[in-house]
Amino acid sequence: MKQYSLLFLTAVATGTTGMSAAFADEIALGAGVIGQTSVYRGDNGHVYPFPLLNYDSQYVYFRGLEGGYYLWRDEQDKLSLTARYSPLGFKPGDSSDSRLQQLDRRRGTLMAGLAYQHEANWGTFRTSLTGDTLDYSNGLEWDSAYLYRITTGNWSLTPGMGVVWSSENQNRYYYGITGDESVRSGLSRYQPDDSWSPYAELNVGYRLTENWNAWLNGRYVLLSDDIKNSPMVDKSYHLMLGGGVSYRF
């Protein structure tokens, strides 16, 4: 399972509410790798290499596989329509637990919605509300965080803390067990409610040359009771670590 990964796609919108400044286009290409634990029983985790595209213009942005369209952008505030591919999912064949092998597959989906970010001397506040657009979970996620960037020489260090709210539909699709699944697997039927999962993250960057940059990041999520009490789950946390290099044009 690839919980809360920051891997996103594109969004397209019509019209804007305003722009207060002109911004130069920026583009970077690179490659990275993400490794993460799985919360599902019998699944030890996964490692995924991926290509990296970062592009930021006055109206459109891509960050990894995240993308969006700015409704408003100035030096401090950014409001955008955003979309991301959420790879959160479960494949029965990935688990060594014979009971989980009898469950239905849970699929990743395209989450889309609104995102807002405010930058100031005291740090950065970001928040987004997105929903499933492919009719798998019909769930919602609300992710909010505070981050503070520290720069010294070629190094940058950005610690942060946040919380993710997941709706009842979201949790029941990815962690619930239906009556039919219970009969097949022998696991108890489980229908979780909505939940709040706090997390801490750390992003580290290093400028190798004028154009080449290296980065490392990590996120530790403390799972809510509604998630960790699922018969599908055998952990109380989720950990993701990633790193890579990029070239800025």
Side-chain angles (χ1 to χ4, degrees):
M1 188 199 78
K2 302 174 276 295
Q3 170 97 357
Y4 305 125
S5 299
L6 305 180
L7 303 177
F8 307 141
L9 291 176
T10 345
V12 178
T14 57
T16 64
T17 59
M19 292 288 174
S20 64
F23 296 88
D25 291 2
E26 296 182 0
I27 185 169
L29 297 174
V33 63
I34 287 179
Q36 47 197 349
T37 61
S38 171
V39 302
Y40 292 117
R41 293 182 184 274
D43 189 349
N44 294 325
H46 306 272
V47 176
Y48 302 93
F50 63 93
L52 177 68
L53 167 64
N54 285 344
Y55 174 74
D56 202 5
S57 71
Q58 186 177 7
Y59 299 106
V60 178
Y61 65 87
F62 297 94
R63 301 179 189 127
L65 297 177
E66 173 187 12
Y69 184 92
Y70 290 117
L71 300 174
W72 175 272
R73 180 182 180 183
D74 59 29
E75 295 295 337
Q76 284 191 309
D77 298 291
K78 299 175 183 178
L79 176 66
S80 64
L81 290 171
T82 188
R84 61 183 176 87
Y85 174 70
S86 170
L88 174 60
F90 166 72
K91 294 181 180 179
D94 287 344
S95 175
S96 62
D97 190 305
S98 59
R99 297 170 300 174
L100 266 67
Q101 292 172 3
Q102 306 305 312
L103 302 182
D104 297 330
R105 181 176 179 178
R106 276 70 164 169
R107 297 182 181 276
T109 190
L110 179 68
M111 303 287 285
L114 282 173
Y116 170 74
Q117 181 171 303
H118 178 78
E119 297 182 12
N121 292 333
W122 45 261
T124 298
F125 170 75
R126 71 174 187 226
T127 187
S128 64
L129 178 63
T130 57
D132 170 31
T133 65
L134 300 184
D135 200 29
Y136 291 133
S137 70
N138 292 313
L140 298 171
E141 283 190 345
W142 180 22
D143 187 329
S144 297
Y146 165 76
L147 305 98
Y148 187 81
R149 182 183 177 93
I150 303 167
T151 303
T152 174
N154 291 335
W155 290 93
S156 66
L157 184 70
T158 309
M161 298 181 66
V163 63
V164 174
W165 172 79
S166 299
S167 71
E168 179 181 283
N169 282 349
Q170 186 80 349
N171 285 340
R172 291 191 176 186
Y173 179 72
Y174 289 107
Y175 309 108
I177 296 177
T178 65
D180 288 343
E181 289 180 312
S182 176
V183 171
R184 293 200 309 266
S185 66
L187 295 169
S188 299
R189 186 175 183 271
Y190 186 69
Q191 297 292 291
D193 295 322
D194 66 327
S195 64
W196 296 85
S197 294
Y199 64 84
E201 69 176 58
L202 178 65
N203 302 290
V204 179
Y206 182 73
R207 177 175 292 183
L208 299 169
T209 68
E210 184 66 24
N211 299 101
W212 285 98
N213 295 278
W215 54 271
L216 295 170
N217 61 38
R219 179 180 283 201
Y220 179 90
V221 182
L222 186 63
L223 301 178
S224 71
D225 288 344
D226 281 274
I227 295 176
K228 67 184 181 183
N229 289 341
S230 167
M232 297 178 67
V233 174
D234 66 353
K235 291 184 178 64
S236 61
Y237 69 91
H238 172 258
L239 178 65
M240 181 190 73
L241 298 173
V245 294
S246 63
Y247 182 86
R248 181 170 56 87
F249 294 89

